[in-house]
Amino acid sequence: MKPHHHNRITAIMLATGLAFLSTSANAANVPQGTILAEKQELVRNNGSEPASLDPHKVESDVEFNIISDMFDGLVAVKPDGTIEPRLAASWENKGNWIFHLREGITWSDGTPITAQDVVWSWQRLVDPKTASPYASYLGNMNIVNAADIAEGKKAPDTLGVKALDDKTLEITLTQPTAAFLPMLAHPSLVALDKTLIMRFAEKWTKPEHFVSSGPYTLSQWVVNERIVGKRNPRYWDDAHTVINQVTYLPISSEAADVNRYRAGEIDITSTVPINQFALLKKTMPEQLDVSPHLATYYYELNTTRPPFNDARVRRALNMALDKEIIAGQVLGQGQRPAWLVSQPEIGGITLKNPDYASWPREKRIAEAKKLLAEAGFGDDHPLSFNLLYNTSESHQRIAIAAASMWKKNLGVEVKLQNQEWKTMLDAKRTGNFDAVRYAWIADYDDATTFLNNFRTGDSSNTSRYSNPAYDAALLNAAKAPDIAARGRYYQQAEDLLAQDVPSIPVYHYVRSHLVKPWVGGFTPDRLGYYFTKDMYIKKH
């Protein structure tokens, strides 16, 4: 899924020169006079059991929340959009990007972290044998040979990333990439320990083998019960960490989650039940945190399988969905109806909805009926399909609402299916679905983080959508000389998605959390991530 950086592009433009070593990262900043609790332990509900803790095998915030606490990237993006040094102390762009690693950085077992570790990790990420959902990511950054390697046309060791020595990394691009530095902060690009993975293969993520580079390391993993991270004393910025232990719970039941939160067993949760939202807002407003979020909820359609191999059918369903009702009434926490796959405002540009978004509802439904009739569906031959979603009360409520709207507006028969998170992801990857509930959280503040998922052959393109005009619009956007020109190509891409509808955007998110009053330093960024190292527990 991905996975609050306002106007990050301007920050990026400023950051492309030389960056200097800052003494500390954006770590826990405890105001003077705060009395800290003796026990610095945090419990977070993470919503689902992670599919894996291998950064190359995962694709959603369920996993990235944990990975971001346990691994450091070369850089990070601060909530204000500026780029901060992490494993890299400084960098410069001399046609090629050169990164200088910090002195003395080590893995949690004390062995040195080197530039060669980064090279090996990125080669592994892009290697088709790894089958990473993010295999296309380095290609999207325009790193030399990355796209060809991901498609099996070149060997992983031809990737344009070289260790000049243990502490210096050189990255060669095929063309400038506007969002290069914020893209670099993505959790799939953390360095991994080659020696460990060569030795233990798939089992390297077990607590007894695991080594990390971040503020925490894995001390316990009880499947479907909890994952525990303990403070990593060898972390380069450990002096600024306050919390000693963090526990992640995989509770997908919103009712159980809120009960445990009320009982004081959970400090932070992002699974706020829709049907309790108004009550919680009234009874504990100071514990309810609602913030905007660069994320879109959508129904992805399998464009290679009837009936969704016909764009008329896909567009009809998009037109006949009452998104205002879903956003305003079914959800009602400030979500906005979505007609764009990306966002109305992202990376310094504004994108327009398709024309039909502003039509009166009756006109939209009449056009949808006409499209379905052209495609051969009507009262005597109703359209029917399966809608798959992962187990959660909210997803269920939205799916029931969508199915009843399609039935009422178009006579469509929708069969609802639900599966556990891991099982659903597997169905999505193998193309074993008609329509599937998904959401994409921006990986960085630029429309391509959403739009790349529909490029021909992209590793995240599970709708199997392919349109040469769409691919060309994205290629032109990447080469565009300025933000305005890039915005025009992004608009072209969105206009094509509005015609072809490989996925039906439903709503743009807000992020709702319940946070105990004794948790200090809770600051979600615009991508919705918040880091344990930034927090502390006040005496209570």
Side-chain angles (χ1 to χ4, degrees):
M1 275 191 249
K2 271 18 128 241
H4 300 263
H5 312 302
H6 200 52
N7 268 347
R8 275 162 78 168
I9 301 300
T10 41
I12 299 152
M13 299 304 180
L14 298 173
T16 47
L18 186 60
F20 296 100
L21 174 58
S22 70
T23 47
S24 97
N26 173 31
N29 200 342
V30 184
Q32 272 189 318
T34 306
I35 301 170
L36 292 174
E38 272 178 48
K39 212 162 108 178
Q40 288 296 319
E41 294 181 0
L42 183 75
V43 180
R44 304 170 49 155
N45 180 26
N46 202 36
S48 296
E49 175 67 18
S52 166
L53 285 185
D54 183 331
H56 296 163
K57 304 284 186 180
V58 300
E59 58 187 297
S60 87
D61 56 344
V62 170
E63 296 82 21
F64 291 146
N65 288 337
I66 303 172
I67 287 164
S68 299
D69 273 353
M70 297 194 179
F71 292 92
D72 240 358
L74 293 173
V75 300
V77 182
K78 289 177 20 178
D80 67 2
T82 52
I83 305 291
E84 68 172 11
R86 282 284 177 81
L87 293 183
S90 63
W91 52 87
E92 62 263 1
N93 182 5
K94 297 178 167 169
N96 295 349
W97 286 88
I98 307 287
F99 287 82
H100 306 279
L101 299 192
R102 287 177 187 275
E103 286 305 319
I105 45 173
T106 71
W107 297 105
S108 52
D109 65 358
T111 54
I113 298 173
T114 65
Q116 288 86 345
D117 289 326
V118 179
V119 173
W120 181 82
S121 304
W122 290 11
Q123 288 175 355
R124 178 178 184 258
L125 170 66
V126 80
D127 188 336
K129 287 207 280 287
T130 308
S132 172
Y134 273 84
S136 299
Y137 193 80
L138 293 173
N140 294 341
M141 292 173 78
N142 301 310
I143 292 178
V144 164
N145 292 336
D148 284 345
I149 298 165
E151 288 168 20
K153 294 176 189 164
K154 285 189 177 162
D157 62 7
T158 63
L159 185 67
V161 180
K162 276 212 300 268
L164 302 182
D165 55 47
D166 284 355
K167 289 282 169 234
T168 318
L169 189 73
E170 181 185 43
I171 302 171
T172 310
L173 304 185
T174 55
Q175 63 178 66
T177 306
F180 179 76
L181 284 169
M183 286 183 84
L184 201 55
H186 193 262
S188 63
L189 300 189
V190 298
L192 300 177
D193 185 341
K194 175 183 177 180
T195 315
L196 179 83
I197 296 174
M198 298 308 256
R199 188 167 160 204
F200 295 111
E202 298 290 301
K203 297 199 168 80
W204 78 267
T205 55
K206 289 182 173 290
E208 61 268 30
H209 305 318
F210 195 88
V211 307
S212 70
S213 60
Y216 298 90
T217 191
L218 184 64
S219 74
Q220 213 186 356
W221 188 350
V222 185
V223 173
N224 290 325
E225 198 177 302
R226 68 182 173 278
I227 286 177
V228 181
K230 62 169 194 261
R231 187 166 166 176
N232 169 17
R234 293 196 169 101
Y235 178 51
W236 66 268
D237 198 31
D238 180 57
H240 294 94
T241 305
V242 178
I243 287 174
N244 296 317
Q245 179 179 296
V246 52
T247 303
Y248 312 86
L249 303 176
I251 306 167
S252 60
S253 158
E254 294 166 0
D257 171 40
V258 170
N259 290 341
R260 289 181 67 173
Y261 177 84
R262 285 182 187 278
E265 295 171 33
I266 295 174
D267 299 311
I268 304 176
T269 180
S270 56
T271 45
V272 179
I274 296 165
N275 54 357
Q276 291 187 42
F277 184 83
L279 177 70
L280 291 166
K281 199 172 177 177
K282 211 161 76 187
T283 54
M284 41 171 93
E286 73 296 337
Q287 294 182 46
L288 187 62
D289 180 276
V290 181
S291 47
H293 196 27
L294 291 180
T296 305
Y297 189 106
Y298 54 82
Y299 289 129
E300 185 172 294
L301 307 175
N302 188 339
T303 64
T304 59
R305 180 193 272 195
F308 296 134
N309 56 348
D310 188 329
R312 293 171 299 189
V313 174
R314 305 193 300 258
R315 200 179 335 142
L317 289 178
N318 190 31
M319 287 179 154
L321 191 63
D322 295 320
K323 302 175 186 189
E324 291 75 12
I325 294 173
I326 292 176
Q329 293 169 31
V330 180
L331 295 162
Q333 302 171 345
Q335 292 88 347
R336 293 164 302 160
W339 294 95
L340 297 166
V341 164
S342 64
Q343 299 281 304
E345 287 168 3
I346 185 165
I349 63 166
T350 302
L351 293 167
K352 294 194 307 287
N353 285 335
D355 292 344
Y356 59 73
S358 59
W359 292 356
R361 181 175 172 276
E362 290 67 33
K363 181 180 174 183
R364 262 208 311 268
I365 291 169
E367 177 67 15
K369 283 182 174 157
K370 201 174 101 192
L371 286 166
L372 276 191
E374 283 172 18
F377 297 100
D379 296 340
D380 50 342
H381 181 221
L383 172 68
S384 70
F385 64 92
N386 293 330
L387 177 60
L388 176 62
Y389 62 91
N390 58 301
T391 308
S392 133
E393 289 97 328
S394 297
H395 300 328
Q396 183 181 32
R397 282 170 67 115
I398 296 164
I400 290 169
S404 69
M405 287 166 184
W406 283 324
K407 172 80 175 151
K408 182 166 142 268
N409 297 342
L410 298 177
V412 171
E413 303 286 345
V414 182
K415 201 159 105 226
L416 301 184
Q417 297 176 303
N418 76 301
Q419 294 176 342
E420 289 307 314
W421 175 242
K422 282 192 204 180
T423 315
M424 185 195 87
L425 285 181
D426 192 49
K428 193 165 116 49
R429 292 238 144 258
T430 52
N432 188 18
F433 69 95
D434 295 338
V436 61
R437 181 295 322 164
Y438 203 55
W440 193 262
I441 300 169
D443 290 321
Y444 47 94
D445 191 1
D446 186 78
T448 49
T449 183
F450 294 93
L451 300 176
N452 282 337
N453 296 339
F454 298 95
R455 281 185 337 147
T456 305
D458 193 277
S459 57
S460 293
N461 184 356
T462 44
S463 68
R464 314 286 202 275
Y465 172 66
S466 180
N467 179 340
Y470 181 82
D471 299 340
L474 289 189
L475 202 61
N476 289 332
K479 295 176 179 165
D482 54 45
I483 289 180
R486 206 157 67 238
R488 287 195 289 276
Y489 290 117
Y490 290 158
Q491 187 67 59
Q492 278 179 17
E494 283 281 8
D495 292 346
L496 288 165
L497 292 181
Q499 287 306 303
D500 296 346
V501 195
S503 80
I504 296 171
V506 181
Y507 68 86
H508 299 300
Y509 276 67
V510 287
R511 198 47 118 119
S512 308
H513 295 94
L514 284 169
V515 187
K516 290 291 186 194
W518 53 77
V519 176
F522 173 79
T523 46
D525 64 21
R526 239 179 120 194
L527 309 182
Y529 293 108
Y530 48 96
F531 308 101
T532 304
K533 69 172 177 53
D534 296 340
M535 292 185 265
Y536 51 90
I537 307 292
K538 296 179 264 195
K539 192 171 173 170
H540 57 283

